[in-house]
Amino acid sequence: AHWYTKGTYVTSGEMQKTIHDFYGFPQELFEVEYPAKGNPELTKETAELLAPTSVIETDSWGLDHGAWSVIKHLYPAANIPVIQMSIDYTQPAQYHFDLAKKLQKLREKGILIIGSGNVVHNLRMIDWKNINTVGAGWDWAIEARAKTNEWILDGNFQNLIHFEKQGAALQNAIPTPDHYLPLIYTLGLKEKSDNISLFNDELIGGSLSMTSVFVG
């Protein structure tokens, strides 16, 4: 999920706090609690797998909205342990792609890894008249969605890694990389034998897309 930090952090608590790291949304969202357990052993294993990258284990964070807003629909009973890893904002996308590969051993053990964010995410350019209209997108958002979908399905990950060089549509779609970089982790975890597919692939509100990628 898009926990954006200087350096790499992994949550280590026995119980995960529900973090409401947003503003301006309905009160109902601030009242959501997702009381998932943590897994200190998995936190330690994750830190060891990422060596020599320095990983800080912390119990001062928990699950932010990028994590619980997704997981609560997958596991509404909060009956599986969850840990969250931050994204080091000082590093380029290639770094995150390479770092993700070190987490492959967790997949081999049957641990589900979710990269939570948005491929097209520009809150300043939302078309409020069409905020709930599925399929509504500005021209640049339509172009960005088409290009990124093509690159994902064709395995052209280098264009996705170097997104900042792909023209104005991508620059508008990704004004800051915090929501985009989780995709790079997902792609970095793909093995040659894995299939890749898209779902929930619609634009909404002109400038948003929650296009999701399944690797497996």
Side-chain angles (χ1 to χ4, degrees):
H2 45 277
W3 176 23
Y4 220 37
T5 57
K6 184 177 182 179
T8 301
Y9 291 74
V10 180
T11 56
S12 63
E14 292 284 352
M15 290 294 298
Q16 300 286 29
K17 304 171 187 175
T18 304
I19 307 294
H20 302 91
D21 55 330
F22 46 76
Y23 59 90
F25 288 90
Q27 182 59 34
E28 288 83 355
L29 284 176
F30 292 92
E31 295 172 356
V32 171
E33 293 292 331
Y34 189 76
K37 292 182 179 180
N39 189 323
E41 293 78 14
L42 179 58
T43 297
K44 181 176 177 60
E45 181 179 2
T46 300
E48 291 173 349
L49 286 174
L50 295 178
T53 297
S54 177
V55 176
I56 301 168
E57 300 177 31
T58 178
D59 60 3
S60 64
W61 196 247
L63 303 180
D64 61 36
H65 77 281
W68 59 255
S69 66
V70 175
I71 301 171
K72 74 182 298 291
H73 295 288
L74 298 174
Y75 303 98
N79 56 353
I80 63 164
V82 183
I83 68 171
Q84 184 171 351
M85 189 177 88
S86 74
I87 295 173
D88 184 349
Y89 66 76
T90 69
Q91 301 293 342
Q94 183 69 58
Y95 169 91
H96 297 290
F97 184 81
D98 295 338
L99 194 65
K101 293 182 178 299
K102 295 185 177 183
L103 298 174
Q104 186 61 39
K105 289 185 177 179
L106 298 182
R107 281 191 68 200
E108 294 169 2
K109 294 177 65 173
I111 294 171
L112 175 64
I113 301 176
I114 300 174
S116 170
N118 297 99
V119 180
V120 178
H121 185 89
N122 192 324
L123 295 180
R124 293 185 177 182
M125 298 183 73
I126 287 177
D127 178 6
W128 290 104
K129 292 181 180 179
N130 289 295
I131 186 60
N132 294 315
T133 303
V134 176
W138 302 117
D139 288 348
W140 58 263
I142 294 171
E143 179 183 345
R145 171 183 169 273
K147 284 184 174 179
T148 53
N149 284 2
E150 178 184 353
W151 295 333
I152 290 168
L153 295 174
D154 288 350
N156 188 351
F157 296 165
Q158 283 303 306
N159 276 0
L160 293 159
I161 289 169
H162 299 289
F163 62 92
E164 71 280 357
K165 298 179 181 179
Q166 307 307 325
L170 270 291
Q171 291 174 8
N172 281 326
I174 312 167
T176 60
D178 48 317
H179 284 78
Y180 178 79
L181 287 173
L183 169 66
I184 300 302
Y185 276 86
T186 301
L187 300 179
L189 282 160
K190 181 184 181 299
E191 294 281 14
K192 290 183 179 179
S193 60
D194 286 328
N195 293 318
I196 192 164
S197 58
L198 305 179
F199 63 99
N200 197 39
D201 181 28
E202 297 283 358
L203 290 165
I204 192 169
S207 64
L208 302 173
S209 165
M210 293 189 179
T211 296
S212 301
V213 181
F214 177 78
V215 174

